[in-house]
Amino acid sequence: MSLNTLPWQQLLDTQGLQCPLPLLKAKRALNHLEVGQNLKVLATDASSQKDFAVWVQLVGHTLLQNECIDGVYHYLIEKN
């Protein structure tokens, strides 16, 4: 299934921001979503791949999918 076909309730564009800002902004955005809702994050910082993978495991959210398209990292996080 493609990332573009998975539903999301909020889009967070953090392109151009460096670590740890994409993660901090995602955390803040997830606070406003309900359990089971999805946040789509766009980032250009390559280190965000490891950051998001580790962070969702620590806090108990689910990283449904991540992929890099033309230098932009697309993350889809389900709030648990």
Side-chain angles (χ1 to χ4, degrees):
M1 181 177 281
S2 169
L3 186 62
N4 293 328
T5 62
L6 295 172
W8 44 270
Q9 285 69 44
Q10 184 175 347
L11 174 65
L12 177 65
D13 187 350
T14 65
Q15 294 179 75
L17 299 178
Q18 297 300 313
C19 177
L21 289 176
L23 190 60
L24 293 174
K25 289 183 175 283
K27 180 181 176 187
R28 185 179 301 155
L30 280 167
N31 286 336
H32 297 287
L33 294 179
E34 296 188 24
V35 171
Q37 290 187 318
N38 297 331
L39 172 68
K40 181 174 182 176
V41 181
L42 303 177
T44 49
D45 183 4
S47 66
S48 66
Q49 282 193 303
K50 182 179 179 183
D51 293 343
F52 276 97
V54 170
W55 176 72
V56 295
Q57 288 183 346
L58 288 173
V59 298
H61 299 309
T62 304
L63 186 58
L64 297 174
Q65 197 166 13
N66 77 66
E67 64 183 281
C68 184
I69 302 170
D70 297 328
V72 178
Y73 299 92
H74 296 247
Y75 304 105
L76 190 63
I77 303 165
E78 180 181 8
K79 182 175 180 175
N80 294 331

